[in-house]
Amino acid sequence: MTVATLLGAASLQLTLHTRGAPVDRPVSWVHVSELADPTPFLEGGELLLTTGLALIPDMAGEYVRRLAGAGVVGLGLGTGLTHAQVPPQLLAAADEHGLAVLEVPRQTPFIALSRAVSSALAAEEYAAVTRTSTVQRELTRAAVGPGAPGTVVDRLARHLGGWALLLDAAGTPLEAAPAAARSRAVALTSAVDRLRTARPPAGAALTQPGETVLLQSLGTGSRVRGLLAVGRAEPFSTGDRHVVSAAALLLTLRLEQSRALDSGTAALRAAILQLLLAGRTDAAAPVVEALGERLPAGPVVALAVLGSAEQRAAAVDVAADAAATTRQPVLCAEVDDTLVVLAGADGPLAGLLAELPGRVPGAVVGTAPPVSWARLADGVRQARKAAAHGRAAGRAVTAFADLAGQGLTALLDPAATAAFAEAALAPLVAADRAGPGDLVASLRTWLAAHGQWEPAAARLGVHRHTLRKRIRRIEELLGRDLDSPGVRAELWLALHPPVR
């Protein structure tokens, strides 16, 4: 419904008095007001009707300016009451501001225009609902027929007059309509990563100059199983958004049908990993080939991924995406709530996998040096130790080789070590508080001097015999033999706990 539509209704007997003002703008509603400034009660898109009770010719310019600024699409002036004809000052201002002015004769009641617009809007809404329902039925038939989900994506793109893209959970295109829409997946990477961490279904609207993109995650429960992206130049109406939601639901049902198969495949991969850890590469290889895959060529890099079940599942998707990008094989399998990822040491895949936490926030990765298939168990064990240490230290990626360079205290739990130190040194601390024994300081200095009396006594500023008495006192209080290397190591650790 537009102003031109109303002008074309002979029964309304309307006359257009402006020359250049547009009459093709849609009418959202009809509002009647005799206020000098009705704009506080307008939302934009209205056809405003008035008899001009408050319309003063000298104020016509300001009146029209406010209406045009509020987004009014047309002004209908009822003549024969306050005004016998449309004031020329009003027409001049309306032409200047591009506001269509209609003359409504006295024999045409305002309610006739309201009814005409209301009926047209109701018809438009009904047509939109009918059209949406028809499209949803078409999408449903496509979803249960052959060629789904590609057919669903194709019909969705045609209905929206834009493009549609079905992605897996890692953001890799599965279906695209038209085919050129596959290239848009790269620009959606950051948005896909954000939605992957949210519980499905979740959505995002990406608005940029000349295009609006809707992104919807697919899945039930807590795991994102895929994503649907649609885009076009024009904004999406409410009806079109309903169609996108319906398509997302249908595609989710198709993806969820493979959940049982996914669980079985995960169990099979776990069994394959156990064969490989046992050195049975010859037995594991044919099973991997039966899955349509292949084992990485040795030497192999093992990665251990720690995180929630959702984070580990997302890591599997990211690893598969990296493998597809580099055209290198990868094997992912679960063992004791840890995801083990195996890749060939040669090539770029291993480097991409080490950056996995950047794609899966919250996941922790441990890596091990390359090993042969015969030493895979060592590599997996080292990767798991590195991951466990990284999680305790709050680091996203930890290499096993880095653990040695951090010292023994870096591998210890600070809280547990602090508790051990407090308990081990408690008798000495109590003795120092009771009198000027300086036992803790003497023990620390003596151990630092490797048990040599003269250097330790010199650093403390006491005679060596005084230091000997203190050490004997320490042995008595602790009930430990300080000639034992193990006892010395424990006390040294207690005196130098890790600090984080």
Side-chain angles (χ1 to χ4, degrees):
M1 170 61 69
T2 64
V3 173
T5 308
L6 292 172
L7 288 169
S11 61
L12 298 178
Q13 303 179 36
L14 304 177
T15 303
L16 177 67
H17 283 270
T18 48
R19 299 176 180 178
V23 294
D24 58 349
R25 298 164 63 189
V27 178
S28 63
W29 199 244
V30 174
H31 185 68
V32 180
S33 176
E34 299 296 344
L35 297 175
D37 182 13
T39 55
F41 308 97
L42 303 176
E43 296 180 348
E46 296 90 353
L47 172 64
L48 181 67
L49 302 180
T50 181
T51 63
L53 287 175
L55 184 58
I56 301 173
D58 292 341
M59 300 297 293
E62 182 63 19
Y63 179 74
V64 170
R65 184 191 66 78
R66 286 196 295 264
L67 296 185
V72 172
V73 300
L75 174 64
L77 180 65
T79 56
L81 294 173
T82 307
H83 299 274
Q85 60 183 11
V86 181
Q89 298 93 331
L90 179 67
L91 292 178
D95 276 323
E96 178 183 353
H97 292 283
L99 178 66
V101 174
L102 314 178
E103 180 182 353
V104 184
R106 183 170 182 178
Q107 63 269 24
T108 300
F110 283 176
I111 195 172
L113 279 77
S114 298
R115 285 175 175 170
V117 172
S118 178
S119 298
L121 294 177
E124 289 177 3
E125 291 180 3
Y126 178 76
V129 171
T130 302
R131 184 167 57 253
T132 299
S133 178
T134 300
V135 174
Q136 289 177 349
R137 287 196 298 270
E138 291 180 1
L139 293 176
T140 301
R141 286 194 294 268
V144 300
T151 307
V152 174
V153 173
D154 181 68
R155 294 192 179 182
L156 180 63
R158 286 193 287 109
H159 167 72
L160 297 176
W163 55 268
L165 189 61
L166 176 62
L167 309 167
D168 66 14
T172 303
L174 300 176
E175 303 288 347
R182 289 180 176 270
S183 62
R184 298 179 178 269
V186 176
L188 298 174
T189 299
S190 59
V192 167
D193 289 343
R194 287 194 299 270
L195 281 186
R196 189 191 295 113
T197 61
R199 187 181 184 89
L206 312 177
T207 303
Q208 48 192 341
E211 186 176 56
T212 299
V213 177
L214 300 181
L215 188 61
Q216 175 74 52
S217 63
L218 310 177
T220 59
S222 57
R223 179 183 177 185
V224 174
R225 304 185 66 81
L227 298 106
L228 174 65
V230 295
R232 70 181 185 189
E234 302 82 14
F236 290 91
S237 65
T238 301
D240 288 337
R241 289 176 181 268
H242 288 325
V243 169
V244 174
S245 296
L249 176 59
L250 293 169
L251 291 171
T252 294
L253 292 175
R254 287 303 300 256
L255 293 175
E256 288 295 331
Q257 289 175 351
S258 64
R259 172 174 287 187
L261 180 59
D262 288 349
S263 299
T265 303
L268 181 58
R269 293 181 186 278
I272 292 173
L273 178 60
Q274 293 300 327
L275 286 174
L276 294 173
L277 293 175
R280 297 292 308 280
T281 309
D282 55 338
V287 182
V288 174
E289 292 176 2
L291 292 175
E293 304 173 10
R294 56 191 176 92
L295 289 176
V300 185
V301 171
L303 293 87
V305 182
L306 299 179
S308 66
E310 292 76 16
Q311 290 167 334
R312 299 197 304 271
V316 172
D317 296 327
V318 173
D321 182 33
T325 301
T326 59
R327 299 182 182 276
Q328 289 185 267
V330 66
L331 178 65
C332 301
E334 294 268 354
V335 54
D336 299 332
D337 294 330
T338 301
L339 175 66
V340 175
V341 182
L342 304 179
D346 298 329
L349 178 57
L352 289 178
L353 293 176
E355 301 172 359
L356 188 146
R359 298 286 303 276
V360 186
V364 175
V365 174
T367 65
V371 295
S372 64
W373 280 111
R375 295 189 59 247
L376 178 63
D378 292 335
V380 171
R381 176 178 52 80
Q382 292 172 358
R384 296 182 66 180
K385 286 184 177 295
H389 176 69
R391 179 164 60 182
R395 287 193 294 270
V397 181
T398 303
F400 181 76
D402 295 338
L403 301 185
Q406 297 172 8
L408 178 62
T409 57
L411 304 178
L412 302 177
D413 178 74
T417 306
F420 163 76
E422 182 179 358
L425 300 176
L428 306 186
V429 173
D432 283 345
R433 288 176 179 173
D438 295 329
L439 298 181
V440 173
S442 298
L443 176 62
R444 181 183 293 109
T445 304
W446 182 71
L447 290 175
H450 307 290
Q452 298 183 45
W453 302 104
E454 292 289 349
R459 293 174 191 174
L460 290 169
V462 299
H463 195 274
R464 65 178 182 276
H465 294 311
T466 301
L467 178 58
R468 288 180 183 273
K469 290 180 181 180
R470 291 179 181 178
I471 296 301
R472 285 197 297 270
R473 177 61 176 158
I474 291 172
E475 288 181 320
E476 293 173 358
L477 291 172
L478 298 180
R480 310 291 296 274
D481 181 7
L482 293 186
D483 287 334
S484 169
V487 173
R488 292 190 183 189
E490 289 180 3
L491 293 175
W492 178 263
L493 179 61
L495 290 164
H496 302 82
V499 178
R500 298 242 172 86

